[in-house]
Amino acid sequence: MRKLAFSLAAPVGAFLLTLVVSTIALLAFGSSPAEAYGDMLSHAAKLETQVDILNRATPFYLSAVAAAIGFRMNLFNIGVEGQYLMGFLFAAQVGGLISLPQVLHIFVIMVVAMIVGALYAGIAGVLKTTRGVNEVISTIMLNSIAVGGLIAWLQQEWQAELGENFSSTELGTNEIEESGLLPTINGLLEIFTREIGQGKELTGMLLIAVLVGVLYHVLLNRTRFGFDLRASGINPFAARAGGVPPKRMVLAAMMLSGAVAGLIGMVELADRGKFPPDPIQGLGFQGIAVALLGRNNPGGMAFAALLFAFLDVSSGVLDSTGAASREIAVIMQGIVLLTAVIAYGVANRLRERDEAREAAEALAAEREVVPA
Amino acid sequence: MIAKLNDLPAWARWALYAAFGVLLLTIVQSISDTERLTQVATAREMLRFAVPIFLAGLGGLFSERAGVVNIGLEGMLILGMWFGAWGSITYGAWWGLAIGIFGGMLGGLLHAIATVTFQVDHIISGVAINILAPAITRYLSEEIWASPTTSPRTSAVGDWDVPFLAGGTVFGWESPDLLLTISQWEIWYLSDLAQLSRGLLRGTSWVAIIAIALVPFTVWLIWRTRFGLRLRICGEKPAAGEAQGINIIRYKYIAVIISGGLAGLGGAFISTELSGLFQGGNSAGRGFIGLAALIFGNWRPGGVLLGALLFGYVFGLDLRDLDGTASHAMLLVNAIAFAGVGLWAFTRRRKADTIIAAILGVGALFWWIVADTVPSWWSNTLPYVVVLLVLVFFAQRLRMPVSLGMPYRKGET
Amino acid sequence: MTAAIELTGITKRFPGVIANDNVNLTVEKGEIHAVCGENGAGKSTLMKILYGMQAPDEGTMKVNGELVNFSSPTDAIDRGIGMVHQHFMLADQLTVLENIILGAEPTVSGGRINFKEAEAHLSQVADEYGLTIDVNQMVESLEVGERQRVEIIKVLYRGAEILILDEPTAVLVPQEVEALFENMRELKASGATILFIDHKLDEVLEISDSMTVLRHGKTVATMKNDGVTAHELAELMVGSELPTPDTSESTVTDDVALELKDLTVLNEDGRQVVHDINLRIHRGEIVGIAGVEGNGQGELVDAIIGTADIASGTVSFHGRDITRESVRKRREAGLAYVPEDRHHEGLLLSSPLWENAALGHQTQSPYGSNWWLDRDGARAQTELIREQFDVRTPNIDVSAHALSGGNQQKLIIGRELTSDPEVLVAAHPTRGIDVGAQAAVWDDIRAARRNGLATLLISADLDELIGLSDTIVVMLRGEFVATLAPADVTPRDLGAYMTGAALQNGGAA
């Protein structure tokens, strides 16, 4: 009960503070907070918006899990962005070149994405274990190398054959055949709701994301590997003395993180059928934010991903209602992140103190009863 | 020989290194089909790219010398870009710079509050600031300029031609342009040296001049003054400072705020001097590259400048290298650099390093021989690759502050 | 004459502990005053309070007869108090001069440090007390004894007249201790008052004029150094009965469990710190390693558990060569390890107790298998350890940092001994824990020995070594210099071997 209070107080406090700050930001430019929040909420109440939110939350969540795997062992994989784009690009290229029966086709594409993501993350892992290069710096550099160079180059190399008077929508890799595209799951949602309108489609990756979340939970809490990983994160020296091979763990965690990162692009791939000339950027960084906000906890990250997606999607309505600038949503994301990490730090310290007091009290009580 | 080199004053030693570097470029250029390696415009572009990188890196130096890792530099740079543009538009160019610094300092303050007061992990806080900063600027741009990503034109503080060397005016009198004359003689090496120098000395932004002046100033401040000593103890062994009654928390705050201010100046330079307007995304990761320059420069101001100029050179060269011949020539420079590193490793009997350097060097040489041009993606990634390679070869030799990144709580030692 | 320091009724509480309970301490001007007590008796806390690093919850402090109230070390420094910390407060990458002047920098305009003036003042101070040091080298290049000298000069530079030395001899080799005592006498002769913390009784009796003994955070005695014996002092420190582990009959068998052959080990810098060591430990045997800290014991332990860089030689378990095997393989082969510093290598402080119990044995039943973690099995086993080893805790779900040091140690001993080990490597198994827990740990190790455990025991507590070991080996500069039978050796003899004194006198057995 007490534990629950401790773990809930921080995010709730952070969110309230965020509301205060964003309200001030809205008032500062003469917008009506009540109207803006009201518009966002009523927009989000619509089923079609909710589909958009789920579609947006799915890559956020995958990205968060990728980052969280590293965080749990104190390994800062800032390179989710680069790993995701590399995995996406290679998977799209391979997927466009082959034709296979549906399930197999999709499977191959995803495996390629995961392998490429893992390998790209593995570079940072190898540099850390063999040459002692800090992973924060190396993953930042690898991001820039991927985004600033490799992606553009490979994309150019793999550009699909264009017709005489091509339109810009033809840019990107070859279109993947239908058999390679993960089906949408509108039907699944419609069991519980009315028919989804406006041509909105719920991504099938949602189910994969849920599966990844469950696997993440099982891996971390139920397997020996997960125990080793967490132990390394809490105290690498004790873990090493306890038989955990530190270098192999760094490499494994890094590559696992990269593999999950490779899946992020699959949402967009299923939607657009190829690696587009303008893939969504920044998902890697937003995933880090979601992981931090959700405290690397599978449930917490799901909640955080939904919150970020809600802010992103529902603020879109502000463009048409004009109640405020839709950019208020990104501000709220940024502030809730900063306040939450601070609040978690404070809550953690309070909880430790509380626990120490409790243990001491229990000891003292016992001493009185049991003569030493 | 080396002992004598070390006896020289720092500026003379650096000048010698620079002259040697240019010699290398000139040699490479004479056996390649490009002239861009030593053109005036190349030097100018180098400086324009280097200034914000250097300012961010120098900001990182303040913060990290005080023990606080600052990957939020990118965010602080972005705040500086926006505030600089806004100040420039509203109050004029110089005010723009000041307000840009102020914007960066706000970012620094946030980072200090999170890391120093609340002991949030430095990386996490930095990531949060990097996410928050562009969000704030988008909102403010939308509200003030009705566009989330672009501002109206800004005004710049202007530039300066150095008299006599680069033909600047003295009290209205146009002085001779000595370096131009020398470059027109077309003497091998000498004219190349003159061209590159002229690129740095003609049409030099005041911000660049300020930035360069910050090198000796920072050396003085950090290594010669009481403030500097106390700032360094925060990064080396804060408990020792605390035991002598030094208010570690205050120094860490000051350092991180200065850090933000410098990154902010770099951002203001980007928006008001380079682009002439605020444009979202124009930071182009320069905060991160500044961090790379900081590591490359081994947490020393001169080293940071060198790193920034090196990265600036590669970016600047690429910008003007439409046919890819200059980048192609750079491959040969790379090969020579690897040969140097390999030799260094070999004399130190570091087998693995020697082999890696040899493979990379031969690879670069081979590529140079077989290809006529190099795709632009290669030069786009070169600075980052350089950083990775520096870390691969020298990670163990770099001397970062001992307590960098460690949480500090008063009275816990 | 007013006392230099007069502390009355000092009380300091931390969550769950009372570190100082109504402590009184009076130090006369110009004397050397020792504060002694066991680990955890509250000595360091008291010194931190006196130096303004922590504020007392209750009590008053007088310096030179004036009531003072320190809120930071600066206040203490202003009153002429200086402190030399046990863990040196020096920055490796700053010069000696920078380290010394830090916080008291002479400056000229613009905050620029006047290095000339600093150096002049420094050499004046150094000459006065006969302390020499090259001030422009980096601290990282200094030996331990030199670092301590820098620390003392640092205090004198500030014009301190009252010096607090926190366990100054803990890190020194005997010759350096002699040099330190010589310096202390000179300081006293020039009018300084010295307050020093120590728990090595012979040292206390050699150098101090008077002493105060603390036990469990309380003052138990204050006396002059005239005719007090080491035994009396020891009894005051630990309470009425001196717990010494008593030797029981031998359980040593002929079966070699752990064997080291010509073992040479490198430290992190690649320097050779253990040379050509040979050792056999049989089932049912405890071999104790005596030695001043830093003579290669740590690297020897690392080599056995599998985290060190072995240059040559072999380690074998029951005749099986495991020199190149991983820590995990060794663990699974029956290696148990009680690390020197439980917070550093022993525990996951923020994890629940049952996860801490599983650490090191997570691949083995009942904690788990190669693939899965068995939460129920681990919890049941932890409950068992809690009961058998008397770990005092509200439940097994609290984090490890909530427990007291003694209970943390009992948990570690419990998890290692319940894993049916063949070989136990125990480094300082009773360091920093209270007397009751200490006796329990001894009993546990002895019981395990009866069941055939082969143990390598490393300890700085010589009574512990003599009481528990079947054989004692003395380690000096990375080599075994003597093998002794505990039955006919005293702590004093052992000390002579450890410092090399016995060898110089030709007394090697």
Side-chain angles (χ1 to χ4, degrees):
Chain A
M1 194 54 222
R2 213 184 177 117
K3 264 192 176 154
L4 191 72
F6 268 119
S7 56
L8 279 183
V12 169
F15 188 72
L16 290 178
L17 193 60
T18 303
L19 276 184
V20 171
V21 176
S22 59
T23 302
I24 293 170
L26 287 170
L27 289 172
F29 290 99
S31 311
S32 154
E35 211 176 301
Y37 299 147
D39 286 353
M40 284 167 73
L41 285 173
S42 58
H43 183 55
K46 284 189 225 136
L47 179 62
E48 283 71 24
T49 315
Q50 286 160 4
V51 170
D52 279 345
I53 290 175
L54 287 173
N55 284 341
R56 192 112 181 93
T58 302
F60 282 170
Y61 186 70
L62 288 166
S63 179
V65 172
I69 291 169
F71 287 159
R72 284 309 288 263
M73 76 167 280
N74 242 338
L75 202 59
F76 290 94
N77 179 8
I78 309 292
V80 174
E81 180 82 6
Q83 293 143 23
Y84 131 67
L85 285 168
M86 292 294 279
F88 184 7
L89 177 61
F90 275 83
Q93 174 68 3
V94 171
L97 290 177
I98 56 172
S99 98
L100 286 168
Q102 179 158 35
V103 176
L104 197 60
H105 199 170
I106 294 171
F107 182 75
V108 168
I109 289 174
M110 288 199 181
V111 168
V112 168
M114 291 175 75
I115 289 175
V116 172
L119 288 178
Y120 203 63
I123 297 174
V126 169
L127 289 180
K128 187 178 176 78
T129 51
T130 62
R131 316 293 299 193
V133 178
N134 181 299
E135 78 281 1
V136 174
I137 305 297
S138 63
T139 51
I140 288 175
M141 294 303 126
L142 286 167
N143 271 343
S144 302
I145 290 172
V147 176
L150 287 180
I151 301 275
W153 171 55
L154 293 172
Q155 211 182 336
Q156 218 169 18
E157 297 284 312
W158 296 342
Q159 173 63 50
E161 294 275 325
L162 296 176
E164 282 284 303
N165 299 309
F166 65 89
S167 73
S168 62
T169 55
E170 286 177 57
L171 288 167
T173 59
N174 285 309
E175 299 266 352
I176 295 174
E177 287 172 28
E178 198 63 35
S179 62
L181 301 180
L182 198 68
T184 58
I185 51 167
N186 281 15
L188 203 64
L189 188 62
E190 282 164 359
I191 298 174
F192 310 101
T193 63
R194 62 175 168 80
E195 200 175 317
I196 299 165
Q198 295 172 13
K200 299 276 184 195
E201 293 180 327
L202 183 57
T203 177
M205 279 303 288
L206 179 62
L207 295 181
I208 305 272
V210 172
L211 182 69
V212 166
V214 172
L215 287 177
Y216 169 78
H217 173 78
V218 170
L219 179 82
L220 231 55
N221 297 302
R222 303 285 161 162
T223 68
R224 197 266 308 159
F225 176 84
F227 179 81
D228 284 1
L229 188 135
R230 285 184 292 127
S232 308
I234 293 165
N235 184 347
F237 303 102
R240 191 183 60 165
V244 181
K247 290 185 174 177
R248 214 182 306 162
M249 276 318 286
V250 167
L251 201 56
M254 209 67 203
M255 293 186 72
L256 197 59
S257 175
V260 176
L263 285 176
I264 300 168
M266 299 302 96
V267 183
E268 205 179 348
L269 185 69
D271 183 34
R272 306 181 65 165
K274 62 175 179 182
F275 187 88
D278 56 340
I280 303 173
Q281 294 206 356
L283 284 176
F285 294 104
Q286 271 168 311
I288 293 171
V290 169
L292 293 174
L293 192 59
R295 304 208 70 181
N296 307 322
N297 174 294
M301 289 190 292
F303 189 78
L306 286 170
L307 176 67
F308 265 46
F310 158 76
L311 289 172
D312 262 10
V313 172
S314 68
S315 62
V317 77
L318 296 176
D319 278 344
S320 53
T321 66
S325 155
R326 69 169 299 181
E327 305 301 335
I328 193 67
V330 277
I331 294 232
M332 289 175 78
Q333 288 176 350
I335 293 171
V336 80
L337 173 63
L338 196 68
T339 48
V341 294
I342 290 175
Y344 290 145
V346 174
N348 224 8
R349 232 188 301 169
L350 290 178
R351 190 178 55 82
E352 273 176 25
R353 205 176 297 172
D354 193 61
E355 237 180 30
R357 214 197 54 231
E358 212 177 306
E361 273 170 10
L363 247 178
E366 201 177 335
R367 263 197 196 133
E368 278 164 26
V369 186
V370 189
Chain B
M1 166 78 190
I2 287 170
K4 268 184 193 157
L5 209 57
N6 281 334
D7 287 343
L8 289 173
W11 64 267
R13 218 166 53 224
W14 284 99
L16 265 178
Y17 293 152
F20 180 76
V22 176
L23 180 64
L24 188 69
L25 290 176
T26 317
I27 293 171
V28 167
Q29 185 157 270
S30 49
I31 48 175
S32 320
D33 34 0
T34 182
E35 284 169 1
R36 297 204 184 89
L37 295 190
T38 60
Q39 276 177 347
V40 174
T42 305
R44 186 177 302 139
E45 287 303 331
M46 165 174 82
L47 191 61
R48 283 162 59 86
F49 272 99
V51 166
I53 294 174
F54 167 71
L55 287 169
L58 193 67
L61 185 139
F62 273 88
S63 168
E64 301 210 345
R65 279 278 172 192
V68 180
V69 180
N70 193 350
I71 71 162
L73 285 170
E74 179 75 10
M76 298 170 198
L77 192 96
I78 291 170
L79 288 173
M81 269 169 54
W82 191 90
F83 278 91
W86 179 78
S88 168
I89 292 164
T90 319
Y91 299 105
W94 284 104
W95 277 109
L97 293 183
I99 292 169
I101 292 172
F102 172 76
M105 286 165 90
L106 286 181
L109 179 66
L110 274 183
H111 192 48
I113 292 173
T115 56
V116 181
T117 303
F118 291 105
Q119 281 132 32
V120 172
D121 184 281
H122 301 181
I123 306 283
I124 290 178
S125 168
V127 168
I129 284 168
N130 288 342
I131 290 173
L132 181 61
I136 291 175
T137 61
R138 280 180 73 91
Y139 181 70
L140 292 175
S141 303
E142 174 70 38
E143 290 293 355
I144 293 176
W145 300 318
S147 153
T149 51
T150 25
S151 78
R153 303 295 302 180
T154 60
S155 54
V157 289
D159 45 32
W160 185 56
D161 305 326
V162 176
F164 300 105
L165 286 174
T169 54
V170 186
F171 303 114
W173 167 69
E174 198 172 315
S175 69
D177 194 335
L178 190 62
L179 288 170
L180 178 66
T181 316
I182 298 176
S183 24
Q184 281 162 349
W185 292 346
E186 297 196 5
I187 301 172
W188 189 81
Y189 182 56
L190 193 63
S191 298
D192 297 293
L193 199 58
Q195 285 186 45
L196 283 177
S197 310
R198 191 162 175 270
L200 299 179
L201 300 177
R202 188 168 174 85
T204 312
S205 163
W206 284 107
V207 180
I209 294 167
I210 293 170
I212 305 287
L214 280 173
V215 174
F217 176 74
T218 307
V219 171
W220 176 79
L221 187 68
I222 303 254
W223 279 274
R224 294 276 114 190
T225 69
R226 175 162 68 187
F227 171 80
L229 178 61
R230 293 179 174 195
L231 187 140
R232 275 184 294 146
I233 201 67
C234 299
E236 297 290 341
K237 187 141 190 173
E242 184 188 322
Q244 298 310 328
I246 292 168
N247 188 339
I248 299 293
I249 290 179
R250 191 177 73 194
Y251 278 90
K252 280 188 180 244
Y253 258 87
I254 293 173
V256 179
I257 290 172
I258 291 178
S259 175
L262 287 168
L265 178 60
F269 177 81
I270 294 174
S271 57
T272 63
E273 304 278 313
L274 289 188
S275 329
L277 77 169
F278 169 82
Q279 204 160 23
N282 261 6
S283 62
R286 283 191 184 82
F288 293 133
I289 303 170
L291 206 59
L294 175 65
I295 297 166
F296 178 89
N298 203 7
W299 288 268
R300 293 181 164 271
V304 177
L305 179 63
L306 183 71
L309 287 172
L310 186 74
F311 300 153
Y313 184 80
V314 177
F315 281 121
L317 193 64
D318 173 57
L319 190 72
R320 311 208 329 108
D321 187 35
L322 297 176
D323 58 4
T325 50
S327 299
H328 178 244
M330 280 302 285
L331 278 177
L332 192 56
V333 178
N334 294 349
I336 294 171
F338 283 128
V341 171
L343 210 63
W344 171 83
F346 183 73
T347 56
R348 268 153 222 259
R349 294 161 188 274
R350 292 168 58 152
K351 214 157 133 200
D353 287 7
T354 314
I355 294 170
I356 297 173
I359 293 173
L360 293 171
V362 170
L365 190 65
F366 181 74
W367 193 0
W368 178 74
I369 293 168
V370 298
D372 292 331
T373 59
V374 178
S376 71
W377 67 269
W378 169 245
S379 22
N380 281 336
T381 56
L382 194 57
Y384 314 109
V385 175
V386 168
V387 172
L388 280 184
L389 289 174
V390 165
L391 290 173
V392 163
F393 287 110
F394 305 111
Q396 272 95 7
R397 284 175 57 89
L398 293 176
R399 288 276 191 98
M400 63 166 94
V402 174
S403 301
L404 182 59
M406 295 186 191
Y408 166 77
R409 276 185 206 179
K410 195 168 182 288
E412 261 199 7
T413 40
Chain C
M1 186 172 119
T2 50
I5 293 171
E6 198 178 339
L7 306 184
T8 322
I10 297 289
T11 297
K12 176 74 184 174
R13 297 181 199 89
F14 292 110
V17 213
I18 301 180
N20 286 159
D21 186 359
N22 194 19
V23 170
N24 299 313
L25 173 70
T26 306
V27 181
E28 301 299 337
K29 271 186 189 147
E31 71 167 352
I32 298 181
H33 190 108
V35 174
C36 22
E38 278 198 299
N39 281 320
K43 297 166 299 191
S44 287
T45 305
L46 188 64
M47 293 305 114
K48 281 184 180 168
I49 290 171
L50 180 55
Y51 190 55
M53 293 174 84
Q54 279 166 354
D57 295 326
E58 289 164 29
T60 56
M61 307 202 281
K62 279 185 192 169
V63 174
N64 295 325
E66 281 177 62
L67 207 59
V68 293
N69 205 345
F70 297 153
S71 59
S72 80
T74 322
D75 298 342
I77 294 167
D78 289 345
R79 292 281 177 166
I81 298 178
M83 177 151 170
V84 174
H85 299 265
Q86 182 184 2
H87 303 288
F88 297 146
M89 293 287 187
L90 297 174
D92 278 356
Q93 294 190 25
L94 263 51
T95 65
V96 169
L97 184 63
E98 285 175 331
N99 267 290
I100 289 173
I101 62 175
L102 180 70
E105 309 88 346
T107 54
V108 291
S109 60
R112 185 162 63 82
I113 297 174
N114 190 339
F115 283 106
K116 275 213 185 99
E117 188 190 320
E119 249 176 279
H121 181 51
L122 182 63
S123 61
Q124 184 199 332
V125 170
D127 287 348
E128 194 179 331
Y129 295 100
L131 301 160
T132 52
I133 199 102
D134 172 10
V135 297
N136 287 317
Q137 57 186 332
M138 291 281 173
V139 164
E140 64 183 348
S141 62
L142 300 185
E143 303 282 329
V144 175
E146 294 175 301
R147 288 176 189 228
Q148 192 168 56
R149 215 174 314 147
V150 173
E151 283 280 26
I152 293 174
I153 297 174
K154 190 160 116 184
V155 167
L156 297 172
Y157 181 90
R158 286 160 176 71
E161 286 164 354
I162 303 170
L163 275 72
I164 306 171
L165 308 180
D166 188 1
E167 300 211 24
T169 63
V171 290
L172 300 182
V173 295
Q175 296 85 336
E176 288 174 328
V177 172
E178 263 321 303
L180 170 71
F181 283 178
E182 206 43 56
N183 287 336
M184 283 169 69
R185 289 193 190 100
E186 271 185 55
L187 289 169
K188 180 181 150 187
S190 354
T193 306
I194 299 176
L195 182 59
F196 89 110
I197 301 182
D198 204 336
H199 55 205
K200 293 181 192 154
L201 306 178
D202 48 342
E203 290 173 359
V204 170
L205 293 173
E206 183 188 339
I207 188 76
S208 63
D209 299 313
S210 57
M211 46 221 152
T212 295
V213 182
L214 294 185
R215 187 168 75 227
H216 298 321
K218 295 191 173 90
T219 328
V220 290
T222 298
M223 58 204 151
K224 288 270 173 247
N225 185 6
D226 43 13
V228 186
T229 67
H231 193 77
E232 288 164 357
L233 202 54
E235 276 195 353
L236 284 169
M237 274 165 63
V238 296
S240 52
E241 89 281 23
L242 252 178
T244 33
D246 29 52
T247 332
S248 45
E249 73 272 34
S250 169
T251 56
V252 183
T253 64
D254 292 337
D255 196 358
V256 178
L258 174 75
E259 181 166 18
L260 311 178
K261 254 194 219 150
D262 304 326
L263 191 69
T264 297
V265 188
L266 308 180
N267 71 359
E268 282 171 359
D269 307 328
R271 276 217 316 249
Q272 198 175 317
V273 281
V274 173
H275 317 280
D276 279 333
I277 276 194
N278 285 288
L279 180 69
R280 284 176 171 186
I281 307 180
H282 302 84
R283 280 173 54 83
E285 183 182 24
I286 298 180
V287 173
I289 305 268
V292 177
E293 255 171 80
N295 274 288
Q297 301 97 317
E299 287 80 4
L300 177 65
V301 167
D302 290 346
I304 298 172
I305 67 160
T307 56
D309 192 354
I310 296 177
S312 64
T314 57
V315 181
S316 30
F317 276 15
H318 291 295
R320 184 175 128 221
D321 184 353
I322 55 147
T323 316
R324 302 284 153 212
E325 284 186 5
S326 67
V327 181
R328 173 154 290 155
K329 281 268 173 59
R330 294 175 194 217
R331 287 282 203 168
E332 286 170 354
L335 173 71
Y337 175 44
V338 176
E340 171 180 352
D341 179 345
R342 55 183 165 270
H343 288 183
H344 182 64
E345 271 195 327
L347 295 169
L348 308 171
L349 283 177
S350 60
S351 293
L353 296 189
W354 68 268
E355 289 193 351
N356 276 284
L359 185 66
H361 312 286
Q362 63 266 42
T363 55
Q364 292 157 279
S365 170
Y367 299 107
S369 64
N370 204 15
W371 294 99
W372 300 100
L373 186 68
D374 181 351
R375 293 164 72 101
D376 295 334
R379 296 178 62 93
Q381 183 73 2
T382 312
E383 287 290 359
L384 196 82
I385 292 171
R386 177 187 176 189
E387 209 144 291
Q388 259 183 30
F389 290 83
D390 189 31
V391 181
R392 310 273 175 90
T393 172
N395 58 59
I396 58 167
D397 288 310
V398 299
S399 335
H401 63 64
L403 296 195
S404 69
N407 283 301
Q408 288 175 344
Q409 193 70 8
K410 284 192 277 186
L411 178 74
I412 293 179
I413 300 274
R415 83 169 176 216
E416 298 302 331
L417 293 185
T418 50
S419 64
D420 294 328
E422 301 276 341
V423 174
L424 168 70
V425 176
H428 308 282
T430 60
R431 178 175 275 183
I433 63 179
D434 58 75
V435 177
Q438 190 176 33
V441 169
W442 285 334
D443 286 343
D444 295 332
I445 293 179
R446 231 183 266 119
R449 173 177 66 167
R450 272 198 297 280
N451 294 330
L453 183 70
T455 303
L456 182 73
L457 173 70
I458 289 166
S459 181
D461 180 342
L462 302 185
D463 291 323
E464 175 172 286
L465 274 180
I466 294 172
L468 280 180
S469 309
D470 296 300
T471 311
I472 296 179
V473 183
V474 181
M475 198 168 181
L476 180 66
R477 293 187 206 96
E479 291 173 45
F480 287 163
V481 293
T483 305
L484 307 165
D488 34 69
V489 71
T490 63
R492 186 173 287 272
D493 302 336
L494 214 44
Y497 281 106
M498 285 160 59
T499 57
L503 300 174
Q504 282 154 13
N505 301 339

